[in-house]
Amino acid sequence: MFYAKLPAMRTELGDTIKRRMEAIFAQHQVNSIVIDIRGNGGGSDNTYNIFLKKLVSDTLKKNVVVARNFSPEIQKKNRINRDSILKSDNKTFNPGVPRLKSQEMYFIKQSFNFVVPDSARFPFKGKIYILQDKFIYSSASNLSSLAQNTDQLISIGETPDLLSGLQADVFIKMLPYSKFIFRVEPQIDFTGIKKLEDIFQNHVEYPVSYPIENLHLRTTTKDDIFGKTFLFKNDPMFRKVLELEQKLN
């Protein structure tokens, strides 16, 4: 089993994981892979693409639907108006999914390939387990949601219940006197929702929470909580991986 802790979606970390995989695959047969994104606040989707394209056999893609407020400021920033939305091929006011009632929004629909298999892949046909907690966001959430679209990826852990924006450029505003800065996500991910509550996304396939005793242990132990000994003995999410692997084999 190959285990990698990915604390942030920075491309240099994705490249490091790929290089370590190259070294391991050259010497060992790898039956399963664990990518630990607990606490990962996001960054670039290319981070996981760097190494996943060497592992997956099928393209990881989604038909994406995102929504933005149809406000004067967003219209100005994105150079749109009502007529341009009505005439657009990928923008609409009627997305065919549940909508918020409090304000008018327009929706952007497109098919997006997140990971395309590399022609030179690692010799791997096993499962890829994604360990997540309630603190993942942005591109880390994107990786989690991809697990719903393929049998090869399996998500395990907690649901963050945050409104992910699916990689949009944020608005940054500063108040003139206090200099307080607001960082505002301008869009909401409506992909695949069947009821309005689904906009929180990140529907983990195997929910696993930390018991209170485990939370206390994680904050008081002197052991490396991402080290092999702690993972095997005291990590409920990693133990779920072992349970699933035992059933598969």
Side-chain angles (χ1 to χ4, degrees):
M1 179 181 290
F2 180 94
Y3 170 87
K5 179 71 177 78
L6 185 57
M9 290 300 179
R10 301 202 307 265
T11 53
E12 63 269 24
L13 297 180
D15 190 60
T16 296
I17 291 175
K18 185 192 75 170
R19 285 188 277 108
R20 292 186 178 178
M21 282 181 175
E22 287 174 339
I24 293 296
F25 275 93
Q27 301 179 46
H28 304 279
Q29 177 182 329
V30 178
N31 297 319
S32 59
I33 289 173
V34 179
I35 306 298
D36 193 338
I37 59 171
R38 286 177 283 186
N40 189 317
S44 171
D45 283 300
N46 191 45
T47 302
Y48 58 81
N49 176 63
I50 290 172
F51 58 85
L52 279 186
K53 67 182 181 181
K54 294 285 187 179
L55 299 168
V56 298
S57 52
D58 298 314
T59 297
L60 303 184
K61 59 185 179 181
K62 290 199 302 182
N63 294 321
V64 173
V65 180
V66 296
R68 295 177 180 175
N69 282 349
F70 192 60
S71 65
E73 185 162 358
I74 290 182
Q75 290 180 53
K76 180 180 178 181
K77 177 179 173 62
N78 295 309
R79 298 179 181 178
I80 59 169
N81 56 37
R82 189 170 298 277
D83 286 341
S84 67
I85 298 295
L86 294 174
K87 294 176 182 178
S88 173
D89 292 330
N90 71 328
K91 299 179 181 69
T92 180
F93 290 110
N94 300 298
V97 298
R99 291 174 287 175
L100 298 174
K101 297 179 180 179
S102 56
Q103 62 265 332
E104 185 176 24
M105 309 183 84
Y106 74 97
F107 296 78
I108 305 170
K109 304 173 72 173
Q110 64 184 125
S111 181
F112 192 79
N113 293 337
F114 285 86
V115 180
V116 178
D118 196 310
S119 57
R121 297 197 301 275
F122 296 139
F124 178 75
K125 295 183 179 179
K127 299 294 186 182
I128 302 169
Y129 299 94
I130 309 298
L131 303 188
Q132 64 178 76
D133 60 12
K134 61 183 179 180
F135 302 109
I136 65 169
Y137 188 66
S138 188
S139 57
S141 296
N142 292 347
L143 175 56
S144 168
S145 65
L146 286 174
Q148 300 175 60
N149 294 10
T150 175
D151 291 335
Q152 192 172 12
L153 270 65
I154 298 174
S155 59
I156 297 173
E158 298 175 316
T159 301
D161 292 334
L162 295 172
L163 287 176
S164 178
L166 204 71
Q167 299 300 91
D169 291 333
V170 297
F171 287 117
I172 297 178
K173 298 288 185 181
M174 178 184 288
L175 297 181
Y177 300 109
S178 67
K179 305 303 180 184
F180 193 90
I181 295 175
F182 289 90
R183 184 180 182 274
V184 182
E185 175 63 70
Q187 68 182 26
I188 298 174
D189 183 7
F190 277 71
T191 303
I193 74 166
K194 293 181 173 59
K195 54 186 183 298
L196 201 53
E197 306 91 274
D198 294 339
I199 59 175
F200 289 101
Q201 302 290 345
N202 302 311
H203 306 295
V204 63
E205 295 173 284
Y206 289 91
V208 177
S209 298
Y210 297 117
I212 187 64
E213 297 83 6
N214 186 265
L215 284 172
H216 180 262
L217 178 63
R218 293 176 72 84
T219 56
T220 58
T221 183
K222 294 183 179 179
D223 294 335
D224 179 4
I225 61 173
F226 300 112
K228 183 176 180 179
T229 299
F230 192 92
L231 288 171
F232 272 82
K233 291 185 176 180
N234 298 303
D235 192 313
M237 296 182 193
F238 193 86
R239 290 175 69 86
K240 187 64 177 182
V241 172
L242 300 177
E243 176 190 324
L244 294 173
E245 276 294 289
Q246 189 174 29
K247 290 180 180 179
L248 289 173
N249 298 313

